[in-house]
Amino acid sequence: MNRPLLVLRPEPGLAQTLALATTMGLRALGAPLFEIEPVPWTAPAAETFDGILAGSANAFRHGGSSLASLAKLPVHAVGQRTADAARTAGFTVATAGATNLQRVLDQLAPPLRLLRLAGEKRVMLEAPQGIEIEERALYRARPLALGHEAADLLLDDAIALLHSGEAARHFAQECARLGIDRAGVAIAALAPRIAEAAGTGWREVATAQEPSDRALLVMAADMCQTGVRNGVAR
């Protein structure tokens, strides 16, 4: 049986995941649990930094006019999507790491003073010796309620796709609010830390082999058909 997928990430990533799911022949519904919106911020003097750290394209999509004063700084980004958004905003990309911001940071050569452009809620980083990081929040994720159509899909054996720890926690809260029994819900998470953020008691939990949208959907496709093969089930 081709079980439906419930894609919970916000735009613009939502549309990209839905499009990829369609090309893979999967039945997917978008039900974003967050809406990304800008927050007021003030750009520091660019001259005091050697570069920018960015873990999400949202920093460049929602940073506004204040970004212009920082455009001469090279960007160290996670993933091609973030790198492309930085270039569109007028920045030069020095690094486009494929996995997470900590790994990007660990590969940089000190001494460096970096400006991290991020959301209000973000993963903590450990700065290597000789590297100093200052942070600015440019955007936030406003939580949304899980709709009745999405809830009905969960009761109809849908698989919930979780792309972030924040989404995992909010999804668990929404299931509790709507009286949805975890024991009847299957979730597919982009990474182990995201699965852990969802808590315990779910009928089926699996994590992708690597933190990419395609790997997550490949695993979800296996779950739809025959159970988990290309992911790690718990």
Side-chain angles (χ1 to χ4, degrees):
M1 178 181 178
N2 192 3
R3 296 160 66 186
L5 305 181
L6 195 61
V7 185
L8 303 168
R9 68 187 309 196
E11 293 289 8
L14 172 63
Q16 294 165 346
T17 300
L18 290 175
L20 183 56
T22 298
T23 66
M24 296 172 65
L26 301 172
R27 183 161 59 102
L29 172 74
L33 286 179
F34 295 95
E35 181 177 1
I36 306 300
E37 59 186 17
V39 298
W41 73 290
T42 300
E47 295 76 15
T48 61
F49 296 95
D50 300 303
I52 288 173
L53 278 176
S56 171
N58 287 320
F60 301 101
R61 294 190 181 109
H62 299 281
S65 59
S66 295
L67 285 173
S69 66
L70 303 172
K72 69 178 183 180
L73 295 174
V75 173
H76 305 284
V78 172
Q80 197 57 50
R81 189 177 302 155
T82 304
D84 289 344
R87 293 187 185 100
T88 299
F91 289 80
T92 298
V93 176
T95 308
T99 52
N100 61 62
L101 200 56
Q102 185 65 55
R103 292 189 180 181
V104 170
L105 180 59
D106 291 342
Q107 293 171 2
L108 300 180
L112 288 173
R113 188 164 191 268
L114 302 173
L115 176 63
R116 182 185 183 187
L117 303 181
E120 284 188 337
K121 294 184 178 180
R122 50 195 177 270
V123 175
M124 297 297 295
L125 298 176
E126 293 186 12
Q129 186 173 2
I131 295 182
E132 181 182 352
I133 302 173
E134 186 172 321
E135 298 183 337
R136 289 290 189 280
L138 283 66
Y139 63 91
R140 63 173 160 243
R142 180 170 61 86
L144 303 174
L146 189 67
H148 292 295
E149 183 180 4
D152 289 343
L153 267 185
L154 289 174
L155 297 176
D156 191 31
D157 206 25
I159 301 168
L161 270 59
L162 300 175
H163 283 76
S164 71
E166 190 173 0
R169 287 184 286 271
H170 185 43
F171 177 68
Q173 292 169 355
E174 283 299 286
C175 285
R177 180 182 68 83
L178 294 170
I180 298 172
D181 186 1
R182 291 188 181 199
V185 176
I187 62 176
L190 190 66
R193 65 175 178 80
I194 297 173
E196 292 171 4
T200 59
W202 306 99
R203 188 188 76 190
E204 187 178 0
V205 180
T207 59
Q209 283 192 324
E210 61 180 46
S212 72
D213 219 17
R214 181 170 292 277
L216 181 61
L217 287 171
V218 166
M219 182 187 68
D222 285 344
M223 294 172 72
C224 285
Q225 300 297 332
T226 59
V228 177
R229 290 197 308 270
N230 290 327
V232 180
R234 299 193 301 145

